[in-house]
Amino acid sequence: MNNRFFVICSGVGTAFGATICYKEFLQGCRYSGRENLDGKTAIITGANTGIGKETAKEFVKRGARVILACRDMERCKKARREIYLAAKAAQPFGNVNHYAKKKPQILCELLDLASHESVRAFGATMQAEKRIDYLINNAATMRDPQRKLTKDGLEKQMGVNHFGHFLLTGLLLGKLQASSPSRIVVLSSTAHYRGDLNFANLNWDEDYDPGAAYNASKLANVLFTRQLSTRLASTSVTVNAVHPGLVYTELFRNMSFAKSMTSYITAPIMWFFMKSARAGAQTTLYVALSPDLEGVSGKYFSNCQEAAPSDRALDEEMARRLWAVSEKWTGWSMDQVPPLSALSASAAKS
Ligand SMILES: NC(=O)c1ccc[n+]([C@@H]2O[C@H](COP(=O)([O-])OP(=O)(O)OC[C@H]3O[C@@H](n4cnc5c(N)ncnc54)[C@H](OP(=O)(O)O)[C@@H]3O)[C@@H](O)[C@H]2O)c1
């Protein structure tokens, strides 16, 4: 009897231990840098949940002024409270102890990437910021079952994930340049390997496929990153794309298995096989903060290391065409970036 009890206990213990080890292994890399970001400003889109919220916590812990750029102010304020408490619990962190000097600076600002008017209003508000050191293009929408349009008539996944961020980045480039060295991080995905751009049907007017539209938007993220890095080659603003891993977040909210009764079965399975949002933020943090990546631009990262993007993502002609369409559809082009002399004059006045 005693023997059997012992065998059962050790079997259960081993299975439990193996589960914990496997789950820990799935979490991937962990960014251990403890930079002091006092005096730095970071903008994170879609920071009210998921990977964006966890990224924001780490920037705040390191002392940065963090702007949570969200479309829902109620959700944003709730997240701000959580981020504030997380930062408070984490003090002191590395060589940063901003509680001794000041309260963490966490701001909620309205940004709906599905509206160029909203993106432009956000861009205008951000001109009052003294500096912008980090722009994290994190927000995304995935797999709207029916084709939906942004306020400007663009298919929503391409509209939010690519065109909205294209316009936003453009409007903030002047500030990023004036604050350089500065970094832009674009959240893409391994979904980009399955993505393709059909320029004759870029807005999915025909044959809308939710998965293909998401994949195309994530390919657009890498093409945009590479093309922007070429255009910023003479500056100290870098831009890189990341895949955060397979992460348990609300991104899957539009998929049927996440809504129906089956979610009671699928949710624990997903939780088991996926990274936590905190683990999902690690590659973003590495690319945004690591001193090892000073001057590195136009690359694609996964699990805190450089990875090879798809052949299509390396297609220069496709990148140039996408850039031209993006300029046309958003009304923003590189020649609208104010010259540095104008920016330093206005900074001196403020
Ligand atoms: N989770 C994964 O497994 C995974 C894998 C590969 C890549 N990624 C990428 O990682 C990034 C973060 O995803 P996540 O997993 O953290 O997803 P998430 O939890 O769904 O968060 C997405 C964020 O984007 C915001 N957003 C959506 N539409 C917006 C709009 N029109 N304007 C402004 N914000 C908007 C959401 O705001 P609301 O809460 O108001 O909707 C939310 O804050 C995305 O770019 C995603 O493509 C994720």
Side-chain angles (χ1 to χ4, degrees):
M1 177 68 188
N2 264 357
N3 225 355
R4 194 182 294 166
F5 181 71
F6 176 75
V7 170
I8 292 172
C9 281
S10 49
V12 170
T14 308
F16 186 70
T19 307
I20 302 276
C21 288
Y22 179 66
K23 184 77 183 143
E24 192 53 34
F25 167 76
L26 274 185
Q27 304 307 302
C29 67
R30 190 160 291 174
Y31 182 62
S32 56
R34 296 194 151 208
E35 290 71 26
N36 182 346
L37 302 182
D38 239 341
K40 306 273 189 197
T41 297
I43 296 176
I44 304 170
T45 68
N48 57 281
T49 185
I51 297 166
K53 185 168 75 180
E54 295 305 316
T55 306
K57 282 181 189 168
E58 294 298 325
F59 271 91
V60 172
K61 260 192 220 172
R62 288 165 171 80
R65 173 179 168 84
V66 176
I67 294 160
L68 313 174
C70 304
R71 63 175 171 166
D72 181 330
M73 284 303 96
E74 280 316 303
R75 296 195 78 195
C76 194
K77 283 179 197 157
K78 220 172 134 207
R80 179 174 61 185
R81 176 99 190 122
E82 189 188 320
I83 294 163
Y84 176 90
L85 293 174
K88 203 169 165 182
Q91 292 302 320
F93 183 79
N95 58 352
V96 188
N97 192 354
H98 51 81
Y99 268 88
K101 293 182 262 167
K102 58 181 188 220
K103 268 174 60 173
Q105 297 180 65
I106 316 164
L107 284 84
C108 277
E109 287 291 347
L110 184 65
L111 170 72
D112 181 358
L113 289 155
S115 156
H116 289 171
E117 192 188 357
S118 171
V119 178
R120 286 185 181 282
F122 178 85
T125 308
M126 290 304 107
Q127 300 312 312
E129 286 296 316
K130 281 204 184 91
R131 50 188 303 117
I132 301 173
D133 302 275
Y134 305 97
L135 171 62
I136 314 293
N137 287 343
N138 167 82
T141 182
M142 184 170 84
R143 286 179 179 251
D144 288 306
Q146 309 298 327
R147 178 173 176 265
K148 288 189 188 158
L149 299 180
T150 67
K151 294 219 170 97
D152 310 279
L154 303 175
E155 185 281 320
K156 205 168 140 220
Q157 298 186 78
M158 277 296 278
V160 169
N161 304 357
H162 168 65
F163 291 109
H165 280 123
F166 176 91
L167 178 59
L168 174 72
T169 308
L171 297 171
L172 301 180
L173 262 189
K175 279 275 166 192
L176 284 154
Q177 238 169 287
S179 318
S180 63
S182 50
R183 297 189 191 185
I184 303 167
V185 182
V186 178
L187 274 277
S188 177
S189 167
T190 48
H192 93 269
Y193 291 107
R194 298 184 294 278
D196 196 4
L197 297 184
N198 173 2
F199 284 94
N201 189 29
L202 200 59
N203 211 27
W204 295 94
D205 296 304
E206 286 162 18
D207 305 326
Y208 175 71
D209 174 323
Y214 178 74
N215 299 344
S217 76
K218 293 287 121 180
L219 171 63
N221 289 154
V222 189
L223 290 165
F224 165 64
T225 298
R226 299 192 67 252
Q227 187 61 200
L228 181 60
S229 93
T230 306
R231 289 165 190 256
L232 292 176
S234 61
T235 74
S236 298
V237 184
T238 60
V239 52
N240 290 293
V242 310
H243 166 60
L246 191 56
V247 189
Y248 188 60
T249 65
E250 292 179 43
L251 190 67
F252 303 89
R253 62 185 106 172
N254 290 329
M255 294 169 87
S256 54
F257 65 76
K259 284 181 182 164
S260 62
M261 285 299 283
T262 52
S263 66
Y264 292 105
I265 300 164
T266 52
I269 297 174
M270 283 173 73
W271 173 85
F272 183 72
F273 285 105
M274 293 165 94
K275 284 183 178 181
S276 67
R278 187 169 173 222
Q282 301 305 309
T283 303
T284 301
L285 294 167
Y286 169 67
V287 172
L289 302 177
S290 173
D292 298 346
L293 299 185
E294 216 168 273
V296 173
S297 194
K299 306 291 185 201
Y300 174 74
F301 290 85
S302 176
N303 203 26
C304 302
Q305 54 194 353
E306 199 185 325
S310 68
D311 289 346
R312 281 195 193 104
L314 296 171
D315 184 335
E316 295 296 331
E317 181 49 31
M318 192 180 263
R320 273 195 295 271
R321 261 185 103 177
L322 176 66
W323 187 277
V325 175
S326 306
E327 284 191 346
K328 201 167 158 197
W329 288 6
T330 63
W332 178 86
S333 61
M334 207 74 179
D335 54 21
Q336 290 172 32
V337 181
L340 269 185
S341 51
L343 286 160
S344 6
S346 73
K349 270 191 224 153
S350 64

